[in-house]
Amino acid sequence: MNLTIFGAPGSGKGTYASRLQTKLGLSVVAMGDIFREIMKENTPLSRKVKRFVEKGLLVPDDVVVEVLKEHLAKIPKEKGLILDGFPRTVDQAKMLEAITHIDAIILLTVPDWIIIERLSTRRICKNCGEVYNVRYLKPKVENICDKCGGNLYQRPDDTAQVIKDRINVYERQTQPLLQFYRKKKMPIVEFKCEKLEMPPEVAVEEILKGLKRLSLI
Ligand code: AMP
């Protein structure tokens, strides 16, 4: 089964993808994590990627697709996938059709005020990328990842101005994708979050129920 998880920045894509990975035994391919790894290097590609990510803009489609293909070649094909943060444009969705088949979309709908509140208090594990929140999703030990013991940090693009720009980019460039998939009658499992303090387990249970209704699990 191949899924893509779709939603605004801060809608919970990474948090739920990591839990669904454990429950369903799928590989997670998180585009943002891949770019953050690339940005640790000092290469023409890393410098190019940085220019976009730091401003909250989308990396150009040709670069994204190349990087994705390279990454997919390294992971076991039989396991199935959760794509987190890809596709983000209609062109990327069209390119994805040539790479692999998608069985369903998990759509996360979250109001802007929750997104802004969540992103400004979000922390990420430097080592494994697990997502925490200093207010609503605290690690057991302050600043230390429960999963791997790595140190937590605040993403440089989780600042007020860049958050605003990322939400704008989502509304302008990524939202039209939904239309594209609806027209294609792609199965969609929607989870609407209306509360700031939503335990990830509740959301994940709802998503699993949706996947069962589609007979995908
Ligand atoms: P994320 O961790 O998903 O919030 O992604 C962080 C940043 O990586 C985004 O703000 C974009 O700059 C870049 N990025 C991630 N996925 C994509 C994509 N599919 N297309 C273009 N840029 C992306």
Side-chain angles (χ1 to χ4, degrees):
M1 173 172 61
N2 294 331
L3 304 170
T4 172
I5 189 157
F6 187 87
S11 57
K13 297 189 294 294
T15 306
Y16 305 151
S18 130
R19 281 153 178 87
L20 288 167
Q21 172 179 39
T22 316
K23 299 222 177 223
L24 300 173
L26 304 171
S27 305
V28 172
V29 176
M31 260 347 276
D33 289 351
I34 297 174
F35 286 137
R36 280 183 285 281
E37 278 304 306
I38 289 176
M39 288 193 302
K40 288 181 189 163
E41 300 157 9
N42 187 8
T43 59
L45 174 66
S46 71
R47 288 189 288 276
K48 183 168 185 181
V49 166
K50 228 182 230 171
R51 284 206 301 276
F52 293 93
V53 174
E54 279 174 352
K55 294 192 197 103
L57 302 175
L58 294 186
V59 176
D61 287 345
D62 57 332
V63 177
V64 183
V65 171
E66 264 325 293
V67 168
L68 175 72
K69 273 192 195 158
E70 224 172 82
H71 194 86
L72 289 181
K74 287 189 232 149
I75 58 174
K77 287 189 183 47
E78 61 286 352
K79 259 180 119 182
L81 288 175
I82 303 180
L83 293 176
D84 160 5
F86 187 91
R88 264 173 149 115
T89 63
V90 171
D91 281 343
Q92 287 180 11
K94 288 180 182 160
M95 291 181 214
L96 179 61
E97 286 180 331
I99 303 173
T100 192
H101 169 78
I102 296 296
D103 297 289
I105 290 176
I106 299 167
L107 167 64
L108 307 176
T109 312
V110 183
D112 280 2
W113 71 271
I114 294 187
I115 288 172
I116 293 164
E117 176 66 30
R118 269 190 193 163
L119 289 183
S120 51
T121 48
R122 176 161 83 167
R123 297 291 182 275
I124 314 280
C125 174
K126 253 188 191 152
N127 185 44
C128 73
E130 187 71 3
V131 184
Y132 296 89
N133 187 292
V134 292
R135 293 206 197 140
Y136 320 106
L137 195 59
K138 292 182 189 174
K140 292 192 183 93
V141 179
E142 198 179 335
N143 274 321
I144 302 292
C145 177
D146 294 348
K147 256 184 149 178
C148 75
N151 287 315
L152 307 188
Y153 81 113
Q154 183 166 29
R155 272 174 46 176
D157 58 347
D158 279 350
T159 56
Q161 184 54 49
V162 186
I163 291 170
K164 259 202 221 152
D165 293 340
R166 285 160 60 209
I167 294 173
N168 284 339
V169 163
Y170 176 75
E171 274 160 14
R172 253 185 311 114
Q173 287 173 276
T174 308
Q175 277 284 8
L177 246 188
L178 256 190
Q179 197 61 17
F180 170 85
Y181 279 126
R182 286 198 202 280
K183 263 195 200 151
K184 289 199 164 264
K185 306 253 182 291
M186 172 70 82
I188 297 179
V189 173
E190 183 168 9
F191 177 73
K192 280 191 188 160
C193 173
E194 264 121 28
K195 279 191 271 172
L196 187 54
E197 296 183 50
M198 168 62 66
E201 293 66 31
V202 175
V204 167
E205 276 316 306
E206 287 303 312
I207 293 168
L208 290 172
K209 276 188 211 159
L211 292 173
K212 274 190 197 134
R213 277 196 293 274
L214 292 173
S215 308
L216 286 171
I217 54 173

